[in-house]
Amino acid sequence: HATDAVFSVNGISMTRNSNTVTDAIAGVTLNLRGTTTGSAVLDMARDTTSLKTKMADLVTAYNDASDLLNQVADPKSTLDTYGATLVGDSTVRMVRQQLRSLFQGTSSTPGSSVNAMWQLGFSLNEKGVMSLDSAKLDSALQSNFSDVVKSLTGNHENLSAYSNAPAGLMGDAVRKLTTLLDKSGPLIGQSESASTQNTKYQKELTDLQTRMDALLARYTKQFAAMDSLVGRVNTQKASL
């Protein structure tokens, strides 16, 4: 029958019910492959799967945002709710430029070999669609992992969006997006301005409807009086 795995780390004996051990060394998964009579050779391999998944998700999110910007600015868009709602609005151009700037230029905390998103396989085509070269990303992660981390994060973890420290490509992107989406930022400001204008227009429409109703009532009364007068004239004409 199956038995527990017995091993030692730094002289400390441990027992686990599986040959896959995730809690012996922080951040390391041990795959115990066989029995040894002395010290075992530890072959360390970095697992970059989750990071590559996040990079792919980033591309998807960027393209989704870019597509929505195209839809709201396209006068021929048939997209429900949002299509053709911001045609000619300068805010759309500003947001699109801000998004593109997040992936262009050099990192504020460049590594010696990796300092820009294109070196990780990110690219934008002539239509503004982003793609990711997975082979190029794999190569950067395998050969220059520390450079990638430094360029993306500045070697900071959970750095505040309001910190002034250089934060790398992704850290600086978080700051820009935070400013863009802040309640005192341009998007909320434009939204509140539009709401104010809508309220103003609604009041003007209500006032106009009131005036039109009054005008219609007056004209109806006048036409009724005129119709009565014409009727009397016709009667007099007939009697004459």
Side-chain angles (χ1 to χ4, degrees):
H1 64 279
T3 58
D4 290 342
V6 179
F7 59 100
S8 64
V9 176
N10 285 339
I12 301 174
S13 295
M14 299 183 181
T15 302
R16 297 291 185 273
N17 60 9
S18 170
N19 285 344
T20 300
V21 182
T22 60
D23 59 350
I25 303 175
V28 175
T29 297
L30 298 176
N31 291 304
L32 308 179
R33 301 186 181 280
T35 303
T36 61
T37 57
S39 298
V41 175
L42 188 61
D43 182 16
M44 299 289 285
R46 180 178 286 112
D47 183 3
T48 59
T49 303
S50 61
L51 179 56
K52 288 188 289 186
T53 299
K54 287 182 174 63
M55 293 296 191
D57 290 344
L58 178 60
V59 172
T60 299
Y62 179 91
N63 286 333
D64 286 347
S66 181
D67 181 63
L68 183 58
L69 290 174
N70 291 336
Q71 293 283 355
V72 298
D74 182 4
K76 297 181 180 180
S77 173
T78 57
L79 179 68
D80 290 342
T81 306
Y82 303 107
T85 54
L86 294 173
V87 176
D89 195 310
S90 61
T91 304
V92 177
R93 294 191 296 274
M94 180 271 291
V95 173
R96 183 180 285 115
Q97 290 168 355
Q98 289 261 4
L99 287 179
R100 288 188 177 183
S101 72
L102 302 180
F103 299 92
Q104 297 172 337
T106 303
S107 170
S108 60
T109 57
S112 57
S113 301
V114 176
N115 53 49
M117 295 297 284
W118 67 266
Q119 292 172 310
L120 299 177
F122 288 84
S123 63
L124 288 170
N125 66 15
E126 66 280 359
K127 294 183 178 180
V129 178
M130 179 177 287
S131 60
L132 178 61
D133 185 331
S134 57
K136 198 168 187 176
L137 177 61
D138 279 336
S139 177
L141 292 175
Q142 293 299 322
S143 303
N144 298 289
F145 187 81
S146 59
D147 264 9
V148 172
V149 173
K150 183 179 180 183
S151 289
L152 292 180
T153 69
N155 289 327
H156 293 294
E157 185 174 351
N158 297 323
L159 186 67
S160 169
Y162 303 100
S163 170
N164 293 322
L169 290 161
M170 293 297 96
D172 292 339
V174 169
R175 287 175 180 166
K176 291 178 182 178
L177 291 173
T178 298
T179 300
L180 192 64
L181 299 172
D182 190 79
K183 61 183 179 181
S184 61
L187 294 185
I188 298 299
Q190 288 283 3
S191 178
E192 290 177 347
S193 176
S195 295
T196 300
Q197 285 292 91
N198 284 340
T199 301
K200 177 184 175 183
Y201 293 149
Q202 188 61 51
K203 183 179 184 303
E204 291 176 350
L205 284 173
T206 301
D207 292 344
L208 177 60
Q209 186 63 53
T210 300
R211 291 197 300 272
M212 292 302 293
D213 289 344
L215 187 61
L216 177 62
R218 192 178 89 189
Y219 284 161
T220 299
K221 183 178 180 180
Q222 289 174 340
F223 283 130
M226 185 172 63
D227 184 63
S228 175
L229 177 61
V230 170
R232 288 199 303 271
V233 170
N234 286 334
T235 300
Q236 291 174 351
K237 182 177 68 173
S239 62
L240 291 173

